[in-house]
Amino acid sequence: MTRQNQERPRNHLDLLQSPIHRIHHRLSAFMTLSPIERRRRWTRALARIQTPLALLLWLGGIAWLVALPFLHVPRTYMSESALAVDHPKMSFGNALERDMEALDEKLLNAAATGGKDLVRQIIADHLIDKTGAETFMQPFQNGTNVVAITRVPRSDGKEAMGLSVRLDIGVKGWQYSVSLALVLHQLISQQHYLSKDVVFLAADNGLSGALAFVEEYHSHLVPLHDFPRAGILHVMLNVECNQARFSSLEVQIEGANGLLPNLDLVNVLIRYGELQNVPVRLPRSQVRVPSTFSSDSRLNWLTQMLGMMARQATGQPTNLHGAFLEYRIEAATLSCRGSSTGANSRVIAGRLLEGTFKAISFIHERFHQSFFFYLLAHEHGYISIAMYLPPLGLMVAGAVVGAISLWLSSTHVEHAASEASGSSSSGARLVAFDSSLRGCGRAVAVLVVALLSSVLILLIPSSLVVGAIEAAAPFLSSWSYLVSFATFCTASGRALVPRKSTLSHGCTESSSGAQRDSAATDCQVLHAHCFERSTCRGGMSQLFFSLAMVLAIPIFLLAALAHTPGTSPKLIYRIGRLLRRVVDITAVVLTSPVALLLVVGLTACLHKQPTIFHANVATNEGELRRQSLPAPLATVFAYGWSVATSPDLHVQVLDASNVILHSAIDDWQARGLAWTWPIVCLVYVPLHATLSAIALA
Amino acid sequence: MRLTEQRTFAGWPRLTIAGFALASMLLVLLSLSIAVARAAPRGGRLAADTFDEELVLHDLTAQESSGQRAVAAKFHFTLTHNHFANEDDDASQAGAKLNQMRYESDTATSTSTQRSSQGEAASSDALLPSRSSDSEAESAELVDDYSAFPRVVGQIAHTLGVQSLRLGFTQGRWQFDNWGLEANHSPLFAPSAELQASFYVSANLSTPQQDSIVNQRWAYLRNALAGLLCASLNSIDESITHTPAVLSHASTKFGQDIRTLRGVLSHETVCTENLTPWRKLLPCRSQASLASLISGIPVVDTLYTSISVELSTACLNTACTQRRLTLEQTLLAVIDPSRSKLFALSNASNIRACPAARSSIVSSTFNVSGASFLAKAFQERIVVNANAWVSLPVPIRTQRFLRGSVNSPGHLVTQLSNLDSAPLSVLYQDVVPWFLPLYSYGLEVTTYSVNGMANLTALVQKSIRPSKLRGRPTVIELSLVLPANSTTIISVPCDRAFLHFTEYPADASRGFDIGPATIFFRAASSSAPIRQMHTNALLVSLPIPDFSMPYNVVCMTSTVIALAFSSIFNATTRQMGLKSPKVKKGAAATPSLGKAAPEPPEASQTG
């Protein structure tokens, strides 16, 4: 094209007709218009293209998301070098296979003769005999766990790591898992290099057993007598190997609410699998790619990624490890897969896990490097939050464009009207730019897009969404929709989490006698915990989010006022001017270098990784939890309230916005109404749309 | 000289070993002590001090199956010297003395120590305990008197008026449940590093004056010891120092008050760099004597290691002008003989006696034949003495933990179970750093009997000294009577402080160490000696900033403000327009963002 242009003789006429010139011509014509007219025109143009644009953005976001695996997928890497993987020497020898087989038989016999109780007894005896562990039978509502802690010689009892296994004698091959876990625990406990105590958990009744354990470990008002504890629990690995031989291993990572363990932990498992020459895979996606594609094809990566998103979207933990993730214990499940005559025996799995525990024992600090938010396209390739957030932001952007357009058009001055009325300066009026019917239609369109987006977002795990909103927040100025989205999405995400039964269990059990009151608060604290890590990743976006909301809500209130029939235009004008001044001052303050430094400093302090937004909940929670204000309003209220009442501003800002945003949800969940959230979400948005339409009309 | 040496080690060949069948956990108590009687002839001239050393081997575990032994080595020094109690002496002498002390110990002293010493030397001279005017001659004699007793320690004690001193470095945890407590040995130290010192201060001074003197001396002391033993004791500042109410003898002796301070460094790694200077305090260092058996690396490769220095003074006359200084250096180690070798085996066969030692005893509470970890030559020197280590069971089981999830405020809970069938009288002492603020109003002490849940009362008296942010720790002291077969739960609500970013250590994600609570106990209805134990220590996660975040924040904030904020801000908050029709006719009255609205007169002007 350019070459053709060069070849052709270039004369004045040609230049005039060139597209660039035409654009330039139009632009200059546009610029000669009065500012008001210019604004009117582009507002109109925006209004015209708003619906298709929103749709386009929405589709573009989806397309981008789907395209991610076809773009650059970085290879995973060990971020925490102290893990010192690639340590090849393992002491899990082949001789231990005989031990495991003997145990298999013993456990099976016990299950046949004495049922679960005898099995538990055998497990406990084995633990005490072989490792000298502190063993404890932990009764809970629907079962009894076997909990043991081996105090390893060199540790100081401040940190621990652990191993869990499902105690479910109804499942075929259960004994293989249990004996592997027992022998593994015995072997690890004997290693002299360990710096962390070793926890063993045989979780009765699957997930509820694991939850009962982890809740007892962390928060019970009246501690169970002699329940063993060993400080901070760093890692729990769940072993599920219900067959004596297998062909490959599968690592499951998704926890409740889409929580994920640190990527480093997953990497360690996969890396040690390579060292042991056993394939460690991610769970197979439901959607199968035709076998003509190689397993390395991008199409496979796409299904893998979508599969992971789908698993997260269910909100259900994929295995026992989900219980631990909620308490900021990095956890994953390693399962044996493939034919039961496969090439690998359990010794291989044992070695792999031994290596992993060795690595975990080496680390000095908590897992804090690497990623907590990621999607895995394949075992060695990840899509980080930085890559999947822009598509999500794009999907939401449609609603924002709509909101901006609506805002602009509804507050525009129609000169013709003022001219027609014949009044001069005093007679100026504030009139909606569009006729009311058109405004109504636009509002509906905007809200339909919003609804579509919110429904879509509902399907995405809430941890992703919260991250997305947090990251998107600073870039957007139309907050009211976003706040509703955030609330609804997190609410519905949480509603899907199967925690109700165990929570109520915790409450009833401890609420005996005089402890009832304190037990009730205890339960509330419990509720608060489940959000710990999924939210509040970025202190800075939090700050902006809160700030922008404070600025935006009055603007929207004003817009609503402008639409109310009978309001004096002068009043609106005055309020608008006042508001404008406030906003101007804020903007000046915000953009000043001092403020920049302040923001940088504050956010550096505020950015608490992975969060402790409950730092001051003790003082706020009790009162604010009972507020039944709608969450966004409550957030604004609490923001101001906490700033006003506490000198410790920077902590309060974080706490209040988090706590209050979720307090209403907690409240509902505590009352057993969690299931209503999706319904509320689906009902509220159309209702809102209708109401807005009526208001506009 | 030769004669002394022969006499000192006459016992060695007699030390024989009998059978040693047990194969597990071993306690080594290596205790060297120098005690020198003033008149003891040594090498033809007056010797000022004595030195005794003792090595105790003990099997900690009653059951043969589990595998640990304890070895204790004790080195015991005693020094008698004249104390110069006279108040009115010239300050320059004391200053000179101090400088001398600093000079002598500065090879191992950190620069910070020196700086602080120099900075304060001038002003503090008067605060230091002074010497009498006739001290010159005696001082010379005194210096000569240090033959076995480490001069550095003596001078520190003398210059700072130390009445007693306990310093211990501990690695690992003592399993009170399994290992019990030794009846005669001094109490175990808290994990990591613990320093406790009592000072003589003139009773004539007012309390604030005493405070400032004591604090200054405390600063000197910890700096000096930090340099001496190559540990970060200098970081035991006011924010973690406290006065243990139970231990501070508010007694006045010879016109001198005794003031006690204590500090625990809960994350001090004990390693060979502490062991080496500790050995250098011994008269023969590690060239001879029992200490030569101990080589550095095996000592830190044990289940439990405690290296300690304990100093005490005793008055020899009524005016207390002559005092006896006793220094006890102890190494207590629990080893797993199946794995670790505490002793440098190559040395054991040709061990040489330390000429300075008055006695060197190796005793064992069990028959040690076949103990593979001891070289043959060494085994022959062991005396079997069942009373060398008397292990008493501990009737209390403790558990200490933070209730509540990792990231939320919670409760600091300590659980004390009395396993005995008689009530126990207990003093519970808990020192919690300021970064874990405790809400003391929420302190709850509840007691349950083991069989039922009947509520009992255990609390007799409580004293709580709240913390100050960055100032001082919370000190909780509870006097309890634990009923027989009961469990007492002490629970205090706590918060997690948000630190200044400079206050975070390099390994902030690891967490912050909270030292153990100390428990003094004895049977309620007896006058048995009070025994002492610790709970486990804790690690607490505090809120931490993402230290890599500032960079991201700078980038992102700039981008946001530059691109998104202003444009969207402009679009949404733009003047919503009160406009006179004249403007339309006018040329180009661009309403600026800064102005709220074009004023009507202005509009008419443009028109």
Side-chain angles (χ1 to χ4, degrees):
Chain A
M1 180 79 182
T2 46
R3 188 182 294 169
Q4 278 179 359
N5 280 345
Q6 280 167 4
E7 283 166 7
R8 282 170 60 180
R10 305 173 70 187
N11 55 33
H12 187 68
L13 202 71
D14 273 338
L15 270 179
L16 258 182
Q17 285 168 349
S18 76
I20 296 171
H21 189 85
R22 274 205 302 273
I23 289 171
H24 180 253
H25 185 73
R26 279 197 175 189
L27 205 62
S28 42
F30 183 68
M31 291 310 284
T32 53
L33 294 171
S34 78
I36 299 288
E37 183 61 21
R38 279 210 302 262
R39 188 185 170 95
R40 201 169 65 93
R41 284 201 179 180
W42 72 262
T43 309
R44 263 186 183 153
L46 184 64
R48 223 172 17 247
I49 62 162
Q50 173 253 318
T51 314
L53 182 66
L55 202 64
L56 200 70
L57 286 171
W58 186 66
L59 289 173
I62 293 174
W64 191 352
L65 197 66
V66 170
L68 279 176
F70 296 92
L71 307 172
H72 174 58
V73 177
R75 278 187 74 82
T76 54
Y77 59 96
M78 299 302 304
S79 191
E80 172 70 272
S81 49
L83 282 164
V85 283
D86 302 348
H87 205 278
K89 195 163 171 258
M90 299 295 158
S91 40
F92 201 104
N94 285 321
L96 289 176
E97 187 155 21
R98 279 197 296 280
D99 290 7
M100 285 192 276
E101 279 161 7
L103 258 175
D104 290 343
E105 209 165 306
K106 203 169 160 187
L107 288 166
L108 260 190
N109 288 340
T113 54
K116 237 180 198 175
D117 287 337
L118 192 58
V119 170
R120 273 193 282 264
Q121 199 53 50
I122 283 182
I123 293 173
D125 288 347
H126 186 273
L127 288 165
I128 294 167
D129 290 349
K130 303 285 182 183
T131 62
E134 280 175 35
T135 310
F136 185 76
M137 297 280 186
Q138 184 206 353
F140 61 100
Q141 202 180 28
N142 38 6
T144 305
N145 289 335
V146 185
V147 182
I149 292 182
T150 309
R151 313 277 176 194
V152 299
R154 304 298 305 284
S155 93
D156 49 10
K158 293 174 185 166
E159 297 161 280
M161 56 189 178
L163 182 66
S164 70
V165 68
R166 215 179 260 268
L167 182 60
D168 194 353
I169 61 173
V171 176
K172 186 173 174 292
W174 64 274
Q175 75 276 17
Y176 296 119
S177 299
V178 174
S179 50
L180 171 61
L182 280 174
V183 170
L184 183 64
H185 177 258
Q186 178 190 340
L187 182 100
I188 299 165
S189 308
Q190 288 161 355
Q191 304 305 314
H192 63 270
Y193 50 72
L194 288 192
S195 68
K196 298 175 174 66
D197 286 346
V198 187
V199 175
F200 178 91
L201 168 69
D204 198 357
N205 240 318
L207 194 62
S208 61
L211 271 170
F213 163 75
V214 82
E215 279 169 15
E216 175 65 43
Y217 195 93
H218 288 103
S219 52
H220 226 272
L221 192 71
V222 181
L224 282 178
H225 191 67
D226 277 351
F227 184 84
R229 287 182 178 81
I232 294 178
L233 202 46
H234 279 271
V235 173
M236 286 294 280
L237 289 179
N238 183 39
V239 184
E240 192 181 72
C241 197
N242 293 341
Q243 49 200 63
R245 299 190 77 78
F246 57 89
S247 51
S248 69
L249 288 164
E250 181 182 292
V251 55
Q252 299 164 359
I253 49 178
E254 297 87 3
N257 227 348
L259 282 178
L260 294 171
N262 192 294
L263 186 56
D264 266 346
L265 181 67
V266 185
N267 286 343
V268 174
L269 284 167
I270 290 170
R271 190 67 70 87
Y272 268 110
E274 279 169 9
L275 282 178
Q276 299 298 330
N277 285 325
V278 56
V280 177
R281 301 216 170 93
L282 299 169
R284 295 291 293 276
S285 165
Q286 295 301 317
V287 186
R288 290 293 155 84
V289 175
S291 54
T292 47
F293 292 94
S294 78
S295 61
D296 277 343
S297 76
R298 299 285 172 140
L299 205 58
N300 249 316
W301 292 4
L302 175 64
T303 56
Q304 194 70 260
M305 187 193 83
L306 292 178
M308 184 163 170
M309 287 178 74
R311 285 192 297 278
Q312 284 182 280
T314 60
Q316 302 277 354
T318 42
N319 216 321
L320 289 194
H321 61 267
F324 308 118
L325 282 173
E326 296 211 8
Y327 282 83
R328 218 194 136 190
I329 300 165
E330 307 307 326
T333 296
L334 199 71
S335 307
C336 300
R337 290 281 183 268
S339 77
S340 53
T341 55
N344 302 306
S345 73
R346 277 176 293 169
V347 172
I348 302 290
R351 280 191 195 145
L352 193 159
L353 285 166
E354 186 201 338
T356 310
F357 276 115
K358 189 186 276 186
I360 295 161
S361 171
F362 286 157
I363 55 172
H364 177 67
E365 298 181 69
R366 250 169 199 287
F367 276 104
H368 65 288
Q369 308 221 23
S370 201
F371 296 94
F372 286 95
F373 297 100
Y374 53 88
L375 295 168
L376 288 173
H378 58 112
E379 286 79 9
H380 299 288
Y382 70 98
I383 292 160
S384 75
I385 185 166
M387 297 165 75
Y388 70 65
L389 266 189
L392 291 182
L394 213 58
M395 279 188 235
V396 186
V400 178
V401 170
I404 292 175
S405 157
L406 192 65
W407 163 250
L408 288 176
S409 59
S410 65
T411 57
H412 204 274
V413 175
E414 182 61 80
H415 310 291
S418 60
E419 254 177 37
S421 70
S423 58
S424 59
S425 60
S426 61
R429 289 197 300 145
L430 187 79
V431 183
F433 172 69
D434 288 303
S435 71
S436 44
L437 258 182
R438 283 172 68 193
C440 176
R442 191 153 303 152
V444 171
V446 168
L447 287 160
V448 165
V449 174
L451 184 63
L452 273 178
S453 306
S454 69
V455 167
L456 185 84
I457 289 170
L458 280 184
L459 299 176
I460 303 169
S462 63
S463 59
L464 300 190
V465 172
V466 172
I469 288 168
E470 282 185 358
F475 296 102
L476 309 170
S477 66
S478 174
W479 305 110
S480 63
Y481 291 121
L482 279 176
V483 172
S484 336
F485 289 165
T487 317
F488 293 143
C489 300
T490 48
S492 38
R494 298 188 62 181
L496 295 170
V497 182
R499 298 199 61 199
K500 263 185 293 173
S501 62
T502 43
L503 283 174
S504 57
H505 138 72
C507 300
T508 48
E509 198 179 43
S510 58
S511 59
S512 58
Q515 305 294 337
R516 191 179 304 276
D517 284 348
S518 343
T521 52
D522 202 28
C523 288
Q524 287 195 343
V525 173
L526 262 178
H527 288 304
H529 290 160
C530 50
F531 240 86
E532 234 149 57
R533 205 178 59 187
S534 56
T535 54
C536 191
R537 282 285 298 178
M540 178 182 122
S541 46
Q542 291 267 331
L543 196 72
F544 269 94
F545 192 63
S546 315
L547 208 67
M549 270 183 24
V550 171
L551 292 179
I553 295 240
I555 296 175
F556 273 80
L557 285 178
L558 187 69
L561 201 64
H563 287 305
T564 318
T567 319
S568 148
K570 217 166 188 178
L571 176 71
I572 291 168
Y573 166 66
R574 282 187 183 145
I575 296 175
R577 194 168 59 175
L578 185 72
L579 192 63
R580 173 76 178 286
R581 291 236 164 102
V582 172
V583 169
D584 279 350
I585 292 165
T586 319
V588 169
V589 171
L590 257 186
T591 46
S592 72
V594 177
L596 186 67
L597 280 179
L598 196 72
V599 168
V600 170
L602 258 186
T603 48
C605 298
L606 282 174
H607 189 84
K608 307 172 195 173
Q609 194 198 12
T611 95
I612 80 117
F613 67 81
H614 288 288
N616 274 337
V617 179
T619 48
N620 301 350
E621 200 176 37
E623 294 150 62
L624 296 175
R625 194 173 281 282
R626 282 169 190 77
Q627 302 288 340
S628 54
L629 293 166
L633 201 57
T635 309
V636 178
F637 162 73
Y639 179 82
W641 181 80
S642 62
V643 168
T645 52
S646 168
D648 213 0
L649 173 76
H650 57 285
V651 182
Q652 292 286 352
V653 172
L654 245 194
D655 288 347
S657 54
N658 267 299
V659 169
I660 310 311
L661 196 64
H662 302 303
S663 63
I665 306 160
D666 283 333
D667 226 26
W668 280 61
Q669 206 171 32
R671 292 175 197 166
L673 298 172
W675 58 272
T676 56
W677 270 106
I679 297 171
V680 170
C681 180
L682 291 175
V683 170
Y684 178 78
V685 177
L687 195 71
H688 187 154
T690 320
L691 287 175
S692 314
I694 292 168
L696 281 172
Chain B
M1 195 73 177
R2 178 167 292 278
L3 197 75
T4 317
E5 199 175 323
Q6 276 175 357
R7 194 185 64 217
T8 308
F9 288 96
W12 280 94
R14 287 207 307 271
L15 305 180
T16 50
I17 350 106
F20 176 70
L22 306 175
S24 12
M25 181 142 85
L26 196 78
L27 177 122
V28 183
L29 181 68
L30 177 60
S31 155
L32 306 185
S33 75
I34 297 183
V36 179
R38 199 167 177 73
R42 183 174 155 279
R45 53 183 284 269
L46 286 185
D49 48 7
T50 60
F51 170 59
D52 301 282
E53 52 183 4
E54 188 186 4
L55 179 66
V56 180
L57 304 175
H58 174 66
D59 188 359
L60 272 178
T61 46
Q63 313 97 318
E64 295 186 15
S65 60
S66 66
Q68 294 117 348
R69 299 246 157 72
V71 178
K74 267 188 188 170
F75 301 89
H76 196 82
F77 301 76
T78 313
L79 172 74
T80 307
H81 72 112
N82 291 321
H83 178 70
F84 315 106
N86 206 333
E87 287 296 319
D88 46 26
D89 108 276
D90 62 332
S92 61
Q93 288 261 352
K97 189 74 183 170
L98 189 76
N99 288 333
Q100 185 190 354
M101 179 195 90
R102 194 173 65 243
Y103 174 74
E104 280 167 3
S105 60
D106 74 354
T107 47
T109 308
S110 65
T111 49
S112 65
T113 311
Q114 287 189 19
R115 193 168 54 241
S116 69
S117 304
Q118 281 159 1
E120 294 164 20
S123 61
S124 64
D125 283 345
L127 300 170
L128 295 166
S130 46
R131 300 178 302 157
S132 67
S133 52
D134 61 339
S135 63
E136 200 53 50
E138 289 200 17
S139 172
E141 191 195 347
L142 184 78
V143 171
D144 281 345
D145 280 351
Y146 292 110
S147 58
F149 195 97
R151 176 188 290 182
V152 187
V153 177
Q155 281 173 341
I156 291 173
H158 182 244
T159 319
L160 298 177
V162 174
Q163 191 255 345
S164 69
L165 172 84
R166 293 186 76 229
L167 169 64
F169 299 101
T170 311
Q171 180 99 49
R173 57 187 153 181
W174 186 263
Q175 299 174 15
F176 289 97
D177 294 355
N178 300 330
W179 299 345
L181 274 173
E182 214 275 320
N184 304 316
H185 184 54
S186 56
L188 295 163
F189 287 90
S192 287
E194 180 183 353
L195 174 64
Q196 181 179 317
S198 304
F199 299 96
Y200 285 114
V201 266
S202 171
N204 300 330
L205 299 171
S206 66
T207 313
Q209 278 176 316
Q210 284 189 345
D211 283 346
S212 84
I213 290 175
V214 167
N215 285 339
Q216 209 146 23
R217 289 204 212 148
W218 174 248
Y220 270 113
L221 179 72
R222 53 179 211 248
N223 281 316
L225 291 174
L228 192 62
L229 288 164
C230 203
S232 44
L233 294 171
N234 49 343
S235 55
I236 305 183
D237 54 3
E238 279 68 34
S239 70
I240 52 174
T241 302
H242 71 111
T243 301
V246 65
L247 291 174
S248 61
H249 314 288
S251 58
T252 305
K253 277 181 187 170
F254 319 112
Q256 304 270 306
D257 278 351
I258 296 171
R259 300 282 298 269
T260 306
L261 292 176
R262 178 175 177 266
V264 175
L265 269 188
S266 30
H267 188 46
E268 174 76 11
T269 313
V270 183
C271 203
T272 46
E273 83 262 15
N274 305 117
L275 185 71
T276 309
W278 178 85
R279 277 200 301 211
K280 282 187 178 166
L281 298 178
L282 300 171
C284 299
R285 308 210 163 176
S286 52
Q287 305 304 311
S289 93
L290 293 175
S292 64
L293 291 168
I294 299 164
S295 62
I297 292 165
V299 164
V300 291
D301 185 24
T302 51
L303 306 183
Y304 177 90
T305 308
S306 173
I307 302 169
S308 64
V309 175
E310 286 168 86
L311 179 80
S312 60
T313 55
C315 290
L316 294 181
N317 56 15
T318 48
C320 207
T321 51
Q322 200 177 36
R323 291 179 189 166
R324 168 173 289 145
L325 276 182
T326 307
L327 179 71
E328 201 164 289
Q329 280 183 254
T330 310
L331 176 101
L332 180 63
V334 179
I335 62 170
D336 184 352
S338 64
R339 191 166 61 77
S340 48
K341 299 175 175 63
L342 182 62
F343 306 109
L345 289 182
S346 55
N347 291 348
S349 52
N350 52 4
I351 180 173
R352 286 187 299 119
C354 175
R358 187 174 61 175
S359 69
S360 296
I361 303 165
V362 181
S363 54
S364 169
T365 57
F366 54 90
N367 290 332
V368 289
S369 83
S372 57
F373 65 96
L374 297 171
K376 282 249 159 56
F378 185 55
Q379 287 177 18
E380 286 161 9
R381 293 167 175 160
I382 293 178
V383 187
V384 176
N385 174 10
N387 294 326
W389 182 278
V390 182
S391 201
L392 297 174
V394 176
I396 299 180
R397 178 176 293 171
T398 65
Q399 198 182 46
R400 182 170 154 101
F401 56 94
L402 265 182
R403 195 168 72 76
S405 177
V406 182
N407 284 332
S408 59
H411 286 72
L412 180 66
V413 181
T414 312
Q415 202 175 319
L416 308 175
S417 301
N418 181 6
L419 309 175
D420 215 353
S421 54
L424 281 173
S425 191
V426 162
L427 186 106
Y428 169 86
Q429 187 183 65
D430 203 350
V431 182
V432 182
W434 58 267
F435 54 73
L436 198 75
L438 300 182
Y439 297 118
S440 49
Y441 61 82
L443 174 80
E444 281 179 14
V445 181
T446 39
T447 308
Y448 305 94
S449 66
V450 169
N451 31 26
M453 290 293 275
N455 279 16
L456 305 164
T457 42
L459 187 64
V460 178
Q461 203 182 351
K462 67 177 173 185
S463 116
I464 299 166
R465 190 163 185 259
S467 64
K468 272 187 195 157
L469 205 62
R470 298 180 174 81
R472 65 177 191 212
T474 314
V475 182
I476 298 181
E477 285 174 319
L478 305 175
S479 173
L480 306 162
V481 175
L482 304 184
N485 296 316
S486 68
T487 298
T488 302
I489 295 162
I490 302 163
S491 162
V492 201
C494 64
D495 213 336
R496 288 159 206 253
F498 195 51
L499 308 186
H500 294 160
F501 78 99
T502 47
E503 287 168 338
Y504 288 96
D507 54 352
S509 290
R510 176 180 174 272
F512 290 75
D513 293 87
I514 306 285
T518 313
I519 293 157
F520 304 89
F521 65 96
R522 73 170 171 209
S525 57
S526 80
S527 56
I530 295 171
R531 291 191 284 153
Q532 189 180 339
M533 67 179 292
H534 301 115
T535 63
N536 53 309
L538 282 181
L539 196 61
V540 178
S541 294
L542 293 187
I544 53 167
D546 182 348
F547 293 103
S548 65
M549 197 58 190
Y551 174 74
N552 302 347
V553 170
V554 170
C555 295
M556 189 154 161
T557 317
S558 317
T559 315
V560 167
I561 289 174
L563 296 176
F565 187 80
S566 51
S567 56
I568 296 179
F569 178 77
N570 185 12
T572 49
T573 60
R574 193 139 181 147
Q575 163 82 15
M576 56 176 112
L578 198 57
K579 199 93 182 176
S580 85
K582 287 174 192 169
V583 177
K584 199 182 172 188
K585 295 171 199 162
T590 311
S592 70
L593 181 70
K595 289 176 183 171
E599 297 298 322
E602 207 176 272
S604 59
Q605 274 168 18
T606 50

